[in-house]
């Protein structure tokens, strides 16, 4: 095996030094009965050319990777400059461990310090951590953190318009921790939290967790939710699953969020069937010692040089064990680095341009679908790059017919919202040309019929 | 005699907190020289909130260093009436002057029972000696 | 001296923000008139200001290339970080997973258009179950601690379904990783600490005294963090099962057993793997990892949603009502899982066991060569790693000094000050990737440090001297946290 350099004669020498006869002797602490007596039931060893062929063939079976796609729902296809992958392919970045020894890890430490800065700036929040697994777990940890801050309150409010997978994850993490989790129900006209539901925000509310743009692509009534949440003394926790949206839309900081989380996959990270992406976690400075995850801080070394170290570790599991703010250890470091390289490359103007291109395409597509096809726009209000349409037929039938034309038309909302059986959530980004958007409209016309 | 400073006007707990009687069942609380020397360079002190009701078994404060996080056990049941505001900017004072400017918080109690139950300076000094022997 | 030492080209590099110049561009997007596009949104929904760098492509490339040179990495040299299993990360894995047929696949793609990836997931669920001796495996958890969270959550769900609400405690040996108690706490369990015996192992009598009808189970790392195999494992699992509890296995040290023995055969009910340790996926300077969880038959129904099933050769996702829930969005770090898949297939059934055998050989060789120079608190036989300490070091030389002195000699330091039960621990895990020459050179460096500690302690106490940065002030960093760059 090419990854095993010890030769037979070296092995003999080494065993002699150790003072045992065979490698098997080194396993003598194991009970004999548990030693494997037969080969594992896994395939036979493959050579590099064979592996290459196999992966190529399996890849071909992923026909969806080549289709014209309008899928979003928490994972987005964006253009990514070639240099991002080139840079994170430097093995100094990808074959190093967590930066426990600062003298030999300044590369990672500085890169992640810059990541924290960029994410804090993007969100306009005081502090960002070194990353979480993804947006869903970041949301769950945000609720747990809020629960630790608001010790005397009992109720967590979550917008029903949040990504349903996030909702499920938050429930998994918190349902046995907080006394009550209540949903803020949707207004069927706006696709946003119904205004009347906001009355649920009261003095017993720990936090209000909501997403914008929400699962249906709609931007919630940020001002109102923020005002009522703060009036009640609850913590405001917005979730941003499409981080490029913050290239143009109002930030969590601008609505005075206490904790704000999100997913950074949209920032130059390939979709990879949903992972690895990068969870984003930010908060106000006064809460930083309750924050989960690693933090990199600036300091000086003994010669007075600026440098960076892991800091505020007394919050973490390796010191506080069962009293830690979270159990997280490994995060998504390399993906955080990729997101920073993307943000550095696109910069101030590039990210704004991307956001505007998304905004424009969604607006174009929405208008054409509304005016030329039998599909309707489901909700009144503002979107970023995602919106919901109502087909004159069952959503799955529509998507199936689109699939036959080589188009992944979006996500059938009924997968999570059974009452919305003809709703399809459609996403478009800067990777689409206007010709591709037209092709989609034409296909919709053909399948669902033209505008009446 | 132990190798640590143990002022005779204070009483002490086995977990190395000191308590000073301020009169009228009001008490000031801090950590002993032994604790301060063992904990190392203090980077942060988390204090209780004013008006918080605390009992004599609860953990009300926390002292952090780069590599550790130490719970401070409250010794006097009552209400927190004052906290040492200086520590938010300068936590290192606890290590430098644990019996003086490095005090942590003050509690108003309704009796002197908890205070009396603590070790006297002499008893604590002996207690430290025994600890050293172990 | 034959150890590599460290001398390098060091270019100073500012923060990317400090490289920024107004109006500089590093991106290329299709020409498109965007004037007025923002008015699609009402003014109150638009952001103000966006403080990101303005740099050219060359600036970005130089910046990150220079930063990369400040890192020690596995491809640069020996990285004996105990408990982290820094084995070689094969290049073929990196290449093959960058195939756009995998990277450009959206997670909401209908199953019929994603059969390739689903097939790999199904095969990985099956192979990882087989390798550990389990009935089934989930790929959803994103890292080791996330796997722990999931595994303990499965245990919580199991007792909840049984209506056994009394079992609120989990026993954890004092040698365990900090993630273990934290993962239990996150699941609402109370942690009962089990003190290790004089051999660094679980003492059966102590365990017996802790097993009550309030105990949901025990969380064991085997071999434990000292590298010591719990040779009473069969008695331990039997005792816990008889007391009505379950046994959680922390697979952090699975590299000692891979292909040699299976935790499931020892009575372990749940175990998480670390694909970024045992299965060669790179650690990326802190992630992404992946923490699949294998379970025994009676726990299969509690695995998190969703999982992949196969019917008549067609693969699809399924959810279960009794599942513990969902532990993240989508299906885990698939990009990481693919690399581990390729790794397992390259070794195959013929060779997989050679990894553990060589890893254990290498660790024992280091131990044999260094035990007369460094103190070993526990004399028990060890498998894939060895824990020395600084208790016999002269001239106040500590573990931290030894670690820093290793940097000057061209090595990444071992894990230090862990496990907590060894004061001043130095935990060395060489893995199977290293050749005898590398081990010999490292041993020579360690002996040199031990000798210098006596003859020339300043050499050790002032280390590292070869790096751009030396002994950062961590107290200052924690006292006055500066967590982002702010423009003056």
């Amino acid at each position: 095996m090419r990854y095993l350099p010890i030769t037979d004669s070296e092995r003999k020498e080494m065993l002699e030094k150790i003072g045992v006869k065979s490698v098997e002797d080194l396993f003598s602490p194991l009970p004999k009965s548990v030693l494997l007596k037969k080969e594992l039931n896994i395939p036979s060893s493959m050579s590099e050319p064979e592996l290459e062929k196999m992966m190529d063939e399996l890849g071909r079976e992923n026909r969806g990777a080549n289709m014209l796609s309008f899928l979003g729902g928490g994972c987005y296809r964006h253009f990514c400059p070639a240099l991002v992958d080139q840079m994170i392919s430097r093995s100094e970045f990808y074959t190093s461990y967590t930066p426990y020894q600062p003298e030999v890890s300044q590369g990672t430490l500085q890169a992640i310090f810059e990541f924290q800065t960029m994410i804090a700036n993007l969100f306009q929040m005081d502090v960002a951590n070194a990353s979480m697994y993804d947006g869903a777990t970041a949301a769950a940890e945000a609720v747990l953190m809020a629960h630790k801050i608001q010790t005397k309150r009992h109720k967590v409010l979550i917008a029903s318009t949040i990504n349903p997978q996030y909702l499920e994850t938050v429930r998994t993490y918190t349902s046995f921790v907080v006394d009550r989790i209540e949903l803020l129900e949707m207004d069927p006209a706006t696709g946003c939290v119904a205004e009347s539901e906001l009355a649920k925000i009261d003095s017993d509310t720990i936090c209000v967790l909501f997403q914008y743009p929400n699962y249906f692509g709609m931007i919630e009534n940020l001002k109102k939710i923020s005002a009522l949440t703060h009036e009640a003394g609850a913590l405001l926790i917005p979730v941003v699953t499409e981080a490029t949206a913050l290239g143009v839309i109002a930030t969590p900081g601008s609505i005075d969020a206490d904790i704000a989380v999100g997913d950074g996959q949209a920032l130059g990270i390939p979709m990879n069937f949903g992972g690895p992406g990068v969870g984003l976690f930010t908060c106000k400075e006064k809460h930083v010692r309750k924050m989960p995850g690693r933090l990199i801080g600036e300091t000086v070394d003994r010669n007075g040089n600026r440098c960076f170290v892991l800091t505020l570790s007394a919050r973490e599991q390796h010191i506080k064990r069962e009293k830690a703010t979270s159990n997280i250890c490994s995060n998504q470091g390399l993906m955080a680095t990729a997101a920073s390289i993307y943000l550095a490359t696109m910069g101030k103007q590039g990210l704004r341009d991307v956001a505007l291109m998304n905004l424009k395409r969604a607006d174009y597509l929405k208008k054409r679908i509304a005016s030329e096809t039998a599909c309707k726009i489901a909700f009144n209000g503002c979107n970023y790059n995602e919106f919901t349409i109502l087909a004159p037929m069952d959503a799955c039938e529509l998507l199936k017919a689109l699939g036959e034309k080589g188009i992944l038309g979006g996500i059938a909302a009924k997968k999570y919202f059974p009452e919305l059986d003809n709703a399809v959530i459609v996403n478009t980004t800067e990777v689409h040309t206007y010709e591709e958007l037209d092709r989609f409209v034409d296909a919709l016309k053909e399948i669902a019929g033209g505008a009446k | 005699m132990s190798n640590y400073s143990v002022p005779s006007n204070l009483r002490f707990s086995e977990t190395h907190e000191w308590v000073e009687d301020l009169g009228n069942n009001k008490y000031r609380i801090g950590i002993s020289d032994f604790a301060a020397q063992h904990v190392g360079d203090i980077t942060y002190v988390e204090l209780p909130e004013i008006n918080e009701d605390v009992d004599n078994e609860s953990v009300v404060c926390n002292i952090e260093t780069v590599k550790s996080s130490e719970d401070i056990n409250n010794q006097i049941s009552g209400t927190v009436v004052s906290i040492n505001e200086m520590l938010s900017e300068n936590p290192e004072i606890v290590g430098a002057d644990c019996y003086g400017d490095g005090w942590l918080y003050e509690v108003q109690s309704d009796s002197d029972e908890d205070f009396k139950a603590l070790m006297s300076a002499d008893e604590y000094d002996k207690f430290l000696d025994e600890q050293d022997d172990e | 001296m034959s150890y590599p030492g460290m001398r390098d080209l060091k270019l100073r590099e500012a923060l990317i923000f400090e490289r920024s110049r107004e109006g500089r561009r590093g991106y290329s997007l299709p020409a498109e008139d965007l004037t007025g596009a923002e008015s699609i949104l009402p003014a109150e929904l638009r952001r103000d200001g966006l403080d990101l760098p303005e740099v050219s492509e060359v600036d970005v490339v130089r910046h990150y290339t220079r930063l990369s040179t400040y890192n020690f990495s596995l491809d640069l040299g020996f990285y004996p970080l105990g408990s982290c299993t820094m084995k070689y990360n094969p290049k073929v894995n990196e290449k093959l997973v960058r195939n756009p047929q995998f990277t450009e696949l959206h997670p909401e793609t209908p199953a019929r258009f994603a059969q390739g990836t689903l097939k790999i997931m199904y095969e990985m669920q099956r192979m990882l179950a087989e390798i550990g001796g389990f009935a089934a495996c989930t790929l959803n958890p994103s890292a080791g601690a996330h796997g722990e969270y999931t595994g303990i959550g499965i245990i919580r769900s199991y007792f909840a379904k049984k209506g056994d609400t009394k079992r609120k405690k989990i026993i954890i040996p004092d040698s365990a990783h900090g993630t273990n108690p934290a993962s239990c706490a996150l699941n609402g369990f109370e942690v009962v600490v089990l003190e290790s015996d004089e051999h660094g192992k679980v003492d059966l009598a102590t365990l017996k005294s802790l097993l009550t009808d309030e105990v949901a189970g025990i969380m064991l790392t085997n071999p434990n963090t000292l590298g010591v195999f719990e040779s009473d494992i069969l008695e331990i699992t039997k005792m816990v099962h008889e007391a009505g509890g379950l046994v959680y296995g922390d697979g952090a040290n699975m590299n000692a057993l891979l292909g040699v023995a299976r935790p499931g055969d020892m009575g372990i009910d749940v175990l998480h793997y670390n694909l970024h340790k045992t299965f060669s996926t790179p650690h990326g300077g802190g992630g992404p990892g992946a923490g699949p969880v294998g379970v025994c038959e009676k726990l299969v129904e509690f695995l998190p949603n969703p999982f992949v099933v196969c019917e008549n050769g067609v693969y699809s996702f399924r959810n279960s009502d009794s599942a513990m829930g969902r532990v993240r969005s989508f299906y885990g770090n698939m990009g990481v899982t693919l690399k581990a898949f390729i790794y397992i297939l390259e070794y195959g059934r013929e060779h997989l066991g050679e990894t553990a055998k060589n890893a254990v050989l290498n660790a024992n060789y280091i131990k044999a060569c260094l035990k007369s120079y460094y103190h070993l608190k526990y004399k028990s036989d060890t498998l894939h790693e060895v824990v020395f300490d600084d208790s016999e070091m002269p001239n106040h030389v500590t573990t931290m000094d030894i670690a820093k002195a290793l940097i000057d000699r061209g090595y990444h330091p071992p894990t230090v000050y862990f496990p907590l039960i060894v004061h001043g621990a130095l935990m060395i895990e060489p893995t199977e990737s290293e050749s005898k020459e590398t081990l010999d050179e490292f041993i020579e460096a360690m002996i040199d440090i031990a000798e210098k500690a006596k003859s020339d302690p300043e050499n050790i106490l002032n280390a590292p001297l070869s790096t751009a940065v030396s002994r950062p002030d961590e107290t200052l960093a924690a006292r006055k946290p500066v967590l982002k760059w702010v423009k003056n």
Side-chain angles (χ1 to χ4, degrees):
Chain A
M1 275 307 297
R2 59 172 161 175
Y3 307 136
L4 300 172
I6 303 286
T7 65
D8 289 344
S9 67
E10 286 171 336
R11 184 170 297 112
K12 245 177 95 184
E13 243 179 277
M14 292 164 78
L15 289 169
E16 221 161 90
K17 175 79 196 175
I18 297 166
V20 295
K21 286 202 181 63
S22 69
V23 171
E24 282 62 37
D25 290 349
L26 297 173
F27 289 90
S28 61
L30 276 70
K32 286 237 154 35
S33 63
V34 303
L35 292 171
L36 270 176
K37 281 158 202 86
K38 55 176 175 50
E39 275 184 342
L40 290 168
N41 179 19
I42 60 173
S44 201
S45 169
M46 291 169 85
S47 66
E48 181 162 343
E50 288 164 326
L51 288 168
E52 211 164 275
K53 196 160 171 39
M54 172 197 69
M55 288 301 279
D56 181 60
E57 279 165 8
L58 285 167
R60 283 171 208 273
E61 289 178 45
N62 286 338
R63 285 162 51 211
N66 312 104
M67 294 164 76
L68 176 60
S69 168
F70 296 89
L71 295 169
C75 186
Y76 302 93
R77 187 162 162 233
H78 284 284
F79 161 73
C80 178
L83 76 89
V84 176
D85 191 53
Q86 291 272 313
M87 288 295 107
I88 64 161
S89 298
R90 289 192 62 91
S91 57
E92 295 88 339
F93 284 130
Y94 81 81
T95 76
S96 54
Y97 204 79
T98 303
Y100 293 132
Q101 293 285 342
E103 288 94 341
V104 287
S105 312
Q106 284 298 308
T108 296
L109 287 164
Q110 184 173 334
I112 302 297
F113 179 79
E114 292 173 350
F115 169 78
Q116 290 174 185
T117 307
M118 290 188 214
I119 298 304
N121 291 355
L122 185 65
F123 277 68
Q124 291 179 329
M125 295 288 289
D126 296 337
V127 189
N129 78 1
S131 75
M132 306 297 284
Y133 307 132
D134 70 343
T137 54
E141 295 258 22
V143 172
L144 290 175
M145 176 172 160
H147 178 254
K148 283 188 192 126
I149 295 169
Q150 303 263 35
T151 50
K152 297 189 174 78
R153 297 176 175 226
H154 304 93
K155 182 170 81 178
V156 167
L157 291 175
I158 305 178
S160 63
T161 51
I162 194 172
N163 183 315
Q165 298 190 359
Y166 284 46
L167 178 59
E168 281 180 49
T169 307
V170 173
R171 281 191 193 280
T172 303
Y173 272 78
T174 66
S175 58
F176 57 95
V177 179
V178 298
D179 291 336
R180 296 200 310 282
I181 298 174
E182 287 176 23
L183 294 182
L184 298 171
E185 299 297 343
M186 181 177 87
D187 176 344
T190 63
C192 291
V193 168
E195 278 203 37
S196 57
E197 288 288 296
L198 299 179
K200 289 179 180 166
I201 306 173
D202 60 19
S203 58
D204 198 33
T205 305
I206 294 169
C207 62
V208 177
L209 180 76
F210 73 104
Q211 177 184 324
Y212 79 94
N214 70 21
Y215 191 61
F216 303 101
M218 310 304 297
I219 303 176
E220 299 278 350
N221 190 337
L222 305 178
K223 284 228 166 86
K224 191 138 201 185
I225 296 176
S226 169
L228 291 172
T229 302
H230 287 126
E231 232 165 77
L235 298 178
L236 183 71
I237 312 180
V239 182
V240 180
T241 57
E242 216 314 0
T244 68
L246 295 179
V248 63
I249 69 175
T251 62
S254 72
I255 55 169
D256 199 23
D258 298 282
I259 305 170
V261 296
D263 200 294
Q265 177 273 331
L267 306 172
I269 300 172
M271 296 182 290
N272 260 321
F273 210 50
V278 56
L280 310 177
F281 199 108
T282 70
C283 70
K284 286 185 173 166
E285 189 159 11
K286 65 178 173 186
H287 299 312
V288 68
R289 291 185 192 258
K290 296 248 173 9
M291 204 177 195
R294 298 200 192 285
L295 286 165
I296 313 293
E298 185 184 313
T299 186
V300 291
D301 79 347
R302 64 169 163 198
N303 302 313
N305 297 315
R306 172 171 72 181
C307 61
F308 304 93
V309 292
L310 288 166
T311 194
L312 302 187
S313 304
R315 300 164 296 118
E316 291 183 74
Q317 46 77 26
H318 59 282
I319 292 176
K320 262 206 173 140
R321 299 178 79 87
E322 66 271 21
K323 289 181 191 153
T325 53
S326 166
N327 72 335
I328 191 168
C329 184
S330 285
N331 49 38
Q332 302 281 111
L334 193 69
M335 301 297 106
T337 307
S340 328
I341 300 172
Y342 173 86
L343 286 172
T345 309
M346 301 313 285
K348 186 175 170 165
Q349 189 61 42
L351 191 70
R352 183 175 159 83
D353 285 356
V354 165
L356 292 176
M357 287 170 83
N358 280 257
L359 203 56
K360 237 181 103 180
R361 275 163 182 69
D363 190 55
Y364 174 86
L365 188 59
K366 199 168 129 179
K367 283 181 179 146
R368 282 209 59 189
I369 291 174
S371 62
E372 292 172 45
T373 77
C375 297
K376 290 189 174 68
I377 302 305
F379 308 115
N380 299 316
C382 295
N383 314 86
Y384 171 56
N385 65 7
E386 211 161 10
F387 57 91
T388 305
I389 61 172
L390 297 175
M393 62 215 277
D394 180 86
C396 290
E397 271 173 52
L398 174 76
L399 292 173
K400 198 164 168 238
L402 284 166
E404 276 155 26
K405 293 178 179 294
I407 296 173
L408 298 170
I411 299 169
K414 72 171 180 180
K415 191 171 164 188
Y416 298 105
F417 298 85
E419 68 282 12
L420 299 173
D421 57 2
N422 59 345
V424 175
I425 303 160
V426 176
N427 165 263
T428 172
T429 73
E430 78 283 359
V431 298
H432 290 138
T433 62
Y434 286 91
E435 290 71 34
E436 285 171 332
L437 301 184
D438 293 343
R439 196 178 130 205
F440 183 38
V441 175
D442 290 344
L444 280 178
K445 237 189 281 184
E446 219 170 289
I447 297 160
K452 304 233 167 66
Chain B
M1 280 273 287
S2 72
N3 296 319
Y4 301 97
S5 153
V6 181
S8 59
N9 60 323
L10 307 177
R11 294 182 86 84
F12 296 85
S13 72
E14 287 187 10
T15 47
H16 309 288
E17 289 86 11
W18 57 258
V19 181
E20 180 184 1
D21 186 355
L22 301 174
N24 297 326
N25 295 330
K26 189 171 148 188
Y27 300 94
R28 177 176 279 194
I29 293 159
I31 65 167
S32 74
D33 182 38
F34 173 91
Q37 288 197 36
H38 277 73
V39 71
D41 289 339
I42 294 168
T43 55
Y44 181 69
V45 179
E46 187 189 13
L47 291 171
E49 281 174 32
I50 291 186
N51 293 330
E52 191 176 326
D53 289 332
V54 291
D55 66 46
N56 65 350
E57 280 172 356
S58 55
V59 172
V60 290
C61 250
N62 189 279
I63 289 184
E64 289 181 7
T65 68
V66 167
K67 305 276 183 231
S68 70
S69 166
E70 305 290 337
D71 288 339
I72 304 302
N73 303 291
N74 181 44
Q75 302 299 330
I76 305 287
S77 301
T79 305
V80 176
V81 289
S82 174
I83 57 173
N84 188 351
E85 307 273 4
M86 271 196 302
L87 301 183
S88 62
E89 279 299 305
N90 301 95
E92 63 275 11
I93 304 174
V94 177
D97 187 10
C98 65
Y99 295 121
D101 285 348
W103 63 277
L104 300 175
Y105 60 97
E106 292 171 357
V107 172
Q108 180 62 54
S109 184
D110 50 18
S111 82
D112 59 0
E113 260 172 55
D114 290 340
F115 182 70
K116 281 187 170 159
L118 293 164
M119 284 183 274
S120 69
D122 279 352
E123 287 166 331
Y124 180 63
D125 203 33
K126 266 187 213 127
F127 173 78
L128 288 179
D129 258 345
E130 285 158 19
Q131 298 263 299
D132 273 359
D133 291 344
E134 271 167 23
Chain C
M1 277 184 273
S2 64
Y3 50 78
M6 220 197 246
R7 274 182 70 179
D8 58 352
L9 179 67
K10 289 173 214 151
L11 293 174
R12 263 200 295 275
E13 180 59 17
L15 288 165
I16 190 87
F17 293 91
E18 293 163 340
R19 273 184 172 269
S20 181
R21 295 292 176 273
E22 207 183 321
R24 202 171 271 171
R25 301 276 179 272
Y27 62 94
S28 151
L29 288 170
E32 184 167 332
D33 184 6
L34 296 169
T35 18
E38 73 269 19
S39 62
I40 292 168
L41 286 180
E44 77 266 18
L45 288 181
R46 290 182 229 151
R47 81 172 285 154
D48 281 329
L50 176 56
D51 201 359
L52 289 174
E54 294 180 86
V55 287
S56 71
E57 172 153 342
V58 185
D59 290 334
V60 176
V61 170
R62 291 247 168 91
H63 178 72
Y64 285 99
T65 305
R66 286 182 186 182
L67 289 192
S68 77
T69 67
Y70 302 167
N71 272 2
F72 192 93
S73 64
L74 191 53
D75 280 4
L76 194 64
F78 186 39
Y79 213 124
L81 199 62
S83 202
C84 300
T85 315
M86 294 297 280
K87 64 169 71 179
Y88 175 66
N89 310 136
K91 300 302 159 196
V92 63
N93 304 357
E94 295 301 312
K95 179 185 168 191
L96 298 185
V97 304
R98 281 173 163 78
N99 179 346
Q101 294 297 117
F102 297 109
T103 57
E104 295 302 304
L105 191 67
H106 190 284
E108 292 281 3
T109 305
R112 65 185 184 282
F113 298 129
Q115 286 293 296
T117 289
L118 284 168
K119 185 174 178 183
I120 294 172
M121 294 177 77
Y122 181 78
E123 277 302 306
M124 274 301 270
Q125 290 176 178
R126 193 196 66 75
M127 290 197 298
L128 290 173
E130 165 71 12
I131 289 167
F134 295 107
C137 183
T138 172
L139 306 176
N140 295 345
S142 309
H146 201 207
E148 290 176 24
Y149 172 76
T150 304
I152 298 294
I154 288 168
I155 292 177
R156 175 169 48 81
S157 306
Y158 169 78
F159 286 114
K161 188 171 179 186
K162 276 180 73 174
D164 195 343
T165 50
K166 240 165 83 182
R167 296 190 184 266
K168 283 278 172 218
K169 295 179 180 170
I170 289 188
I171 299 169
I172 303 180
D174 52 7
S175 57
H177 290 110
T179 49
N180 286 188
S183 299
C184 290
L186 207 49
N187 270 296
F189 285 106
E190 187 189 318
V191 174
V192 180
V193 177
L194 186 152
E195 236 172 271
S196 303
D197 68 8
E198 69 273 23
H199 309 292
K201 294 201 273 192
V202 171
D203 176 69
L204 294 181
T206 312
L207 174 61
K208 191 158 191 201
S209 70
L210 297 178
L211 284 172
T212 65
D213 59 357
E214 292 180 351
V215 170
I218 185 169
M219 210 169 178
L220 268 189
T221 310
N222 197 17
N224 66 23
T225 58
L226 297 164
V228 176
F229 188 85
E230 300 286 356
S231 40
D232 293 328
I233 184 66
L234 297 175
E235 287 77 16
I236 293 171
T237 54
K238 194 167 164 234
M239 278 166 68
V240 175
H241 289 153
E242 280 173 2
L246 294 170
V247 182
Y248 184 98
D250 178 329
N253 293 343
M254 190 62 198
N255 207 45
L257 303 178
L258 189 59
V260 172
R262 307 193 306 171
D265 296 340
M266 303 172 199
I268 308 274
D269 301 296
V270 199
L271 175 131
H272 79 267
Y273 296 96
N274 295 76
L275 297 187
H276 48 291
K277 296 182 179 177
T278 316
F279 297 96
S280 87
T281 72
H283 204 273
V293 172
V295 293
C296 66
E297 193 64 52
K298 68 178 170 197
L299 299 179
V300 173
E301 60 173 307
F302 305 105
L303 286 172
N305 286 326
F307 49 92
V308 180
V309 294
C310 176
E311 278 166 330
N312 309 318
V314 179
Y315 302 91
S316 60
F317 284 111
R318 186 164 300 164
N319 290 301
S320 144
D321 287 339
S322 42
M324 69 170 285
R326 181 181 260 288
V327 295
R328 57 158 289 166
S329 60
F330 306 118
Y331 330 110
N333 283 339
M334 274 314 300
V336 175
T337 307
L338 291 184
K339 294 178 193 179
F341 174 69
I342 300 166
Y343 177 80
I344 293 172
L345 293 185
E346 174 146 8
Y347 274 94
R349 60 171 176 259
E350 299 88 346
H351 300 295
L352 200 61
E354 292 168 28
T355 54
K357 288 177 185 164
N358 281 283
V360 170
L361 174 70
N362 282 355
N364 275 280
Y365 181 66
I366 289 181
K367 185 180 177 185
C369 295
L370 289 179
K371 67 182 174 195
S372 50
Y373 298 90
Y374 289 88
H375 182 250
L376 270 174
K377 180 173 176 189
Y378 295 101
K379 312 288 186 256
S380 313
D381 288 338
T382 47
L383 294 180
H384 68 301
E385 65 194 3
V386 53
V387 180
F388 295 109
D389 62 68
D390 60 2
S391 59
E392 288 177 358
M393 281 290 126
N395 298 318
H396 306 293
V397 168
T398 65
T399 285
M400 192 53 80
D401 302 318
I402 298 166
K404 303 302 183 195
L406 272 170
I407 293 174
D408 279 336
R409 284 157 181 77
Y411 299 98
H412 192 283
T415 294
V416 291
Y417 300 102
F418 184 81
L420 306 175
I421 58 171
V422 179
H423 189 80
L426 263 167
M427 184 198 226
I428 300 171
E429 179 184 14
T431 84
E432 71 278 13
S433 306
E434 304 304 330
S435 67
K436 182 167 175 296
E437 302 93 275
T438 303
L439 302 181
D440 285 336
E441 287 164 8
F442 172 73
I443 288 160
E444 193 183 323
M446 286 291 285
I447 294 172
D448 180 51
I449 292 168
E451 280 167 358
K452 288 265 170 30
K454 286 186 210 131
S455 62
D456 180 14
E458 292 305 303
N459 176 287
I460 310 297
L461 296 169
N462 290 327
L465 298 163
S466 55
T467 46
V469 159
S470 185
R471 307 237 186 178
D473 187 344
E474 297 188 42
T475 303
L476 173 71
R479 252 182 215 160
K480 308 254 180 268
V482 177
L483 304 172
K484 66 176 179 185
W485 181 81
V486 180
K487 208 183 285 181
N488 284 328

